[in-house]
Amino acid sequence: MAAATFSPKPINSIAPLAGEATLSGLTNPPPLSLYIHIPWCVKKCPYCDFNSHESRHKIGQNPEKSFPESAYVDALIADLELATPKVWGRKIKSIFFGGGTPSLFSAESIDRILSHVRMLTPLEFDAEVTLEANPGTVDAANFVGYKQAGVNRLSLGIQSFNNDYLKALGRIHDRDQAFQAIELALKTFEQVNCDVMYGLPNQSLKDAMQDAQTAVQLNPAHLSFYHLTLEPNTPFYRTPPSLPDDDTSSDMQIEIEKLLAQHSYEHYETSAFAKKGKQAKHNLNYWQFGDYLGIGAGAHSKLSYHDKITRETRAKHPKAYMEQALQGKAIERKWSISQDELGFEFMMNTLRLTDGVPLDLFQQRTGLNIKRLETAIKKAQSKGLLIIENGKIQPTLLGQRFLNELLELFLV
């Protein structure tokens, strides 16, 4: 793809902001989300680098036989109780149960967790509560139970509607189970997301488009389309499968985006498409550099204070996490983000949004003046990767296609 020619807008043309601020410029905390990690899954997929652990749980068996569900919920509650003072009085705008496979947990466990969340923290009246589910672990009674517990959005890991590709990806479900799960989810929840992947082993453009056509015909409120990537420390990375070449993968991306636009899906983030007003609130908070408290094995947090922004991580292994959480030592590492790192971290999130963000959001979220990024912004403009218009900073179409190259310009 040939680069378009742009005339960079001088950084001085940006509307003046307040004088150079230290992190004491963080006068108002950003919106706050809660992430809850459930680390077990039935089978570890060969492309997955998330913190997940095989439960050796067979569908239909009591999960307690293969992983300590009740004890893990105890640990989550203990973790949350200790973390609550850090966010005292701040309303939670969204909750996300991720994994692993959260749908391995019973509705009773999810209800118990959410009940304690409500007791310990105030929720916004329209808080989004998402739970990830694997089509191979779907149970009608559980779906109803999740909804009764307070889950109002379900995210299904479909990945493909083609049995051959599902097998190549190591998924535990087949095409029929995918359809059954989506049908049940759409009947039970107002908000449903389906994850679909492309660029799969030996996948043709025709087959990728067939998956996309099937997805839009099912008409969920939200679709996420991800290109398969080979992540370090995964079986696929160690023994790479035969993947489509770059040109074919690029054609898949372009044609999928066209198809979704034709079916009224707004492409609002690198891999996310939504019907009008149905964007994922939880993920939007990440991409707008909001705050999030993460509890559970390996969970991460980002929390802002009047003079600093901190990150925290929990112990990754479930057993270690449970032991430490119940001893009041869930946090394994904590550090402050330096001023030099904040520019890159802010852009790494916000430039995933196709419409960009207001210029003044940088100071609101970091306490720093955006002129600190003047050199990087000028370079990005000159390369046609970034534009500044109507008080917003946003990636061009070229910047969206070459996001990694754009972000590298903000590395100190």
Side-chain angles (χ1 to χ4, degrees), residues 133-138 143 154 156-163 166 171-186 192-196 211 214-215 218 220:
N134 186 316
T137 64
V138 163
F143 272 20
L154 199 78
L156 284 166
I158 301 298
Q159 315 315 355
S160 178
F161 296 95
N162 183 306
N163 282 336
L166 288 171
R171 303 296 290 174
I172 65 169
H173 70 276
D174 60 23
R175 172 186 170 88
D176 290 342
Q177 288 173 310
F179 283 119
Q180 291 166 7
I182 295 173
E183 181 181 2
L184 178 59
L186 290 172
V192 174
N193 168 66
C194 294
D195 286 347
V196 185
D211 272 348
T214 303
L218 290 164

Side-chain angles (χ1 to χ4, degrees), residues 120-375:
L120 294 167
T121 60
L123 301 185
E124 292 188 1
F125 77 95
D126 59 347
E128 175 189 272
V129 183
T130 302
L131 183 135
E132 288 185 332
N134 186 316
T137 64
V138 163
D139 179 276
N142 262 3
F143 272 20
V144 172
Y146 295 146
K147 184 176 181 179
Q148 291 173 343
V151 174
N152 52 32
R153 183 174 183 272
L154 199 78
S155 182
L156 284 166
I158 301 298
Q159 315 315 355
S160 178
F161 296 95
N162 183 306
N163 282 336
D164 290 337
Y165 295 124
L166 288 171
K167 184 176 180 180
L169 290 171
R171 303 296 290 174
I172 65 169
H173 70 276
D174 60 23
R175 172 186 170 88
D176 290 342
Q177 288 173 310
F179 283 119
Q180 291 166 7
I182 295 173
E183 181 181 2
L184 178 59
L186 290 172
K187 287 180 179 178
T188 310
F189 299 94
E190 181 181 345
Q191 299 271 7
V192 174
N193 168 66
C194 294
D195 286 347
V196 185
M197 300 176 77
Y198 64 95
L200 306 181
N202 298 306
Q203 188 179 38
S204 66
L205 174 61
K206 179 182 176 181
D207 284 348
M209 293 310 299
Q210 182 60 55
D211 272 348
Q213 287 278 4
T214 303
V216 298
Q217 288 167 7
L218 290 164
N219 200 37
H222 194 284
L223 286 166
S224 299
F225 272 82
Y226 300 96
H227 188 288
L228 174 63
T229 55
L230 304 184
E231 301 291 350
N233 302 315
T234 64
F236 269 11
Y237 187 83
R238 292 189 291 270
T239 308
S242 177
L243 301 180
D245 60 36
D246 290 344
D247 288 342
T248 302
S249 292
S250 179
D251 288 343
M252 290 177 180
Q253 180 181 355
I254 292 169
E255 293 304 315
I256 287 170
E257 290 174 4
K258 286 181 183 178
L259 176 68
L260 268 64
Q262 292 167 3
H263 286 78
S264 302
Y265 284 94
E266 176 191 351
H267 185 196
Y268 71 98
E269 186 271 340
T270 301
S271 304
F273 304 78
K275 297 288 188 175
K276 187 175 181 179
K278 302 299 184 181
Q279 295 91 340
K281 292 181 181 179
H282 188 86
N283 289 342
L284 270 177
N285 194 40
Y286 289 148
W287 299 323
Q288 293 170 345
F289 211 55
D291 276 1
Y292 49 93
L293 172 64
I295 62 172
H300 290 236
S301 300
K302 170 193 167 276
L303 298 172
S304 301
Y305 303 89
H306 76 280
D307 60 344
K308 61 185 176 181
I309 299 176
T310 65
R311 290 200 179 277
E312 300 173 347
T313 59
R314 268 68 175 166
K316 291 185 69 172
H317 195 278
K319 182 178 180 182
Y321 166 76
M322 288 188 289
E323 291 174 350
Q324 293 176 22
L326 293 172
Q327 294 171 8
K329 301 174 182 178
I331 298 172
E332 193 164 71
R333 184 174 172 236
K334 179 178 178 179
W335 68 99
S336 295
I337 307 174
S338 72
Q339 292 188 24
D340 288 340
E341 295 170 317
L342 277 172
F344 173 74
E345 293 220 6
F346 178 87
M347 292 298 179
M348 181 174 62
N349 287 278
T350 57
L351 291 182
R352 292 182 63 91
L353 295 170
T354 56
D355 285 342
V357 293
L359 280 167
D360 59 5
L361 188 69
F362 182 74
Q363 182 154 345
Q364 292 174 24
R365 296 288 192 262
T366 69
L368 301 172
N369 194 307
I370 198 170
K371 291 197 174 214
R372 291 176 63 96
L373 306 180
E374 178 175 7
T375 300

Side-chain angles (χ1 to χ4, degrees), residues 32-36 80 92-97 114 117 121 123 282 286 291-295:
L32 177 68
S33 295
L34 174 64
Y35 176 78
I36 302 170
L80 183 63
I92 292 176
K93 72 174 296 177
S94 63
I95 301 171
F96 194 100
F97 288 88
L114 288 175
V117 170
T121 60
L123 301 185
H282 188 86
Y286 289 148
D291 276 1
Y292 49 93
L293 172 64
I295 62 172

